[in-house]
Amino acid sequence: MKRLAPFLVMLAGCLWATLGLFVRHFNDVGLTSMEILEARNILSAAALFLFLGLFRRELLRVRAKDLWCFAGGGIGSVILFNYCYFQTIQRSSLSVAAILLYTSPIFVLLLSVPLFGEKLTKKKVFCLIMAFTGCALAGGLASDGMNLSWVTLLLGLGSGFGYGLYSIFSRYALQRGYHPMTITAYILLFASVGGIPLTDFSQLSGAVQRDGGLLWYLMVFTLVATILPNAFYITGLRYVENGVAAVLACIEPAMATIFGIFVFSEMPTPAGWAGIFLVLAALVLLNLQPKKSDDTK
């Protein structure tokens, strides 16, 4: 499993990249971003608790003193980063918001050094720079620029910080002996509770009533873009350092661009192709077997 761990993290990124494919349909039926997020969290938490309750009831046991790990992952990460991300989109553009969101590996690398004793190696930093540059190019930095107000910049960085906290709180839960499915279920439960005051449930129920197939679409979305990638990512964290996992997950915007090519015929610019190449090159370099000298600062 240790050898497969990096590929599980990258598979999680690939599945998260399908988010845009589903969201376009949800937007067409009148759902906002927060309504989509809350529906995903509620359905995901319900499905996981039902499955664990029927087949792995022992995995539902958690200690009250450890609830902060799940609350931090659900409210401090999922709700915080999504709220900041959507606010950044409203104030700037989708590509700029995506670029700021992918400052998350920087926060993860820096926080993991004092919190978990991970080494900040030259190789990690170099791969991080490559991956972030690739995300910026794939996200359209060259065309959109970065003319932002301080509020928008702080919101964008807040989304990256919140996104990075998912790895931090998940690592704390793993260190306390919890199974990845347990962590995923309780993080999504807290995210569901935290999203209640931000969601218009009348709009959500109305959309489901108007479109009979929407509920099934939401269920597929829940499995493909939430349950499976979250479980894969946390499983990978068992054997991969936080900083490495955060960089590996940068495959998401590259894959989102590739999905856009095949599904919506959205051809990237030359800068976009260069961004995809940089992200993939960073991931290959990060997964090469390091020599002993690679871990020197």
Side-chain angles (χ1 to χ4, degrees):
M1 181 61 73
K2 187 174 182 179
R3 290 185 177 182
L4 291 176
F7 299 100
L8 287 175
V9 173
M10 288 190 288
L11 179 58
C14 293
L15 291 175
W16 277 324
T18 65
L19 180 67
L21 307 182
F22 291 98
V23 167
R24 288 201 178 190
H25 176 70
F26 296 140
N27 288 335
D28 289 341
V29 299
L31 294 181
T32 67
S33 299
M34 287 306 301
E35 290 158 6
I36 297 168
L37 172 67
E38 185 66 2
R40 179 180 71 167
N41 290 338
I42 291 174
L43 287 174
S44 299
L48 281 171
F49 273 90
L50 178 62
F51 174 81
L52 294 177
L54 292 174
F55 301 105
R56 298 292 302 274
R57 191 169 298 178
E58 72 278 7
L59 295 182
L60 290 176
R61 300 192 191 101
V62 296
R63 296 176 293 274
K65 65 179 181 179
D66 296 330
L67 288 177
W68 65 271
C69 298
F70 311 117
I75 299 173
S77 175
V78 176
I79 296 300
L80 173 64
F81 98 71
N82 277 284
Y83 178 79
C84 290
Y85 182 56
F86 298 148
Q87 287 294 315
T88 306
I89 292 173
Q90 292 177 8
R91 294 168 178 267
S92 56
S93 68
L94 181 61
S95 58
V96 169
I99 294 163
L100 291 173
L101 175 65
Y102 274 89
T103 58
S104 60
I106 300 173
F107 293 112
V108 175
L109 277 174
L110 295 178
L111 288 172
S112 295
V113 173
L115 295 179
F116 304 109
E118 295 183 7
K119 294 181 179 179
L120 189 62
T121 65
K122 293 179 181 178
K123 182 177 180 179
K124 289 180 186 177
V125 173
F126 181 68
C127 290
L128 172 61
I129 294 172
M130 285 182 64
F132 179 73
T133 303
C135 289
L137 291 173
L141 174 62
S143 60
D144 280 3
M146 291 286 279
N147 296 319
L148 307 175
S149 68
W150 279 106
V151 173
T152 305
L153 179 61
L154 289 175
L155 283 168
L157 292 175
S159 70
F161 179 70
Y163 195 29
L165 288 179
Y166 189 83
S167 296
I168 301 299
F169 286 110
S170 296
R171 172 70 68 187
Y172 276 123
L174 284 170
Q175 289 181 341
R176 282 154 177 75
Y178 291 107
H179 191 278
M181 293 294 286
T182 304
I183 300 170
T184 303
Y186 278 94
I187 283 179
L188 290 170
L189 175 63
F190 276 98
S192 300
V193 174
I196 290 175
L198 303 174
T199 305
D200 183 352
F201 287 97
S202 62
Q203 180 74 9
L204 181 58
S205 61
V208 173
Q209 291 173 6
R210 289 192 302 271
D211 187 342
L214 182 61
L215 184 58
W216 291 105
Y217 202 76
L218 280 166
M219 292 173 68
V220 174
F221 169 60
T222 293
L223 177 66
V224 174
T226 307
I227 294 176
L228 289 178
N230 286 20
F232 289 152
Y233 186 81
I234 296 175
T235 301
L237 275 183
R238 279 180 157 180
Y239 308 99
V240 176
E241 290 184 344
N242 282 352
V244 173
V247 177
L248 292 175
C250 285
I251 196 173
E252 181 183 345
M255 288 305 302
T257 303
I258 292 173
F259 288 148
I261 295 172
F262 289 102
V263 179
F264 301 114
S265 299
E266 297 175 347
M267 293 301 295
T269 63
W273 283 114
I276 293 172
F277 173 78
L278 278 176
V279 170
L280 296 179
L283 302 186
V284 170
L285 178 59
L286 197 61
N287 280 288
L288 291 177
Q289 288 296 324
K291 298 178 182 179
K292 292 182 179 180
S293 59
D294 288 343
D295 285 333
T296 58
K297 293 185 179 180

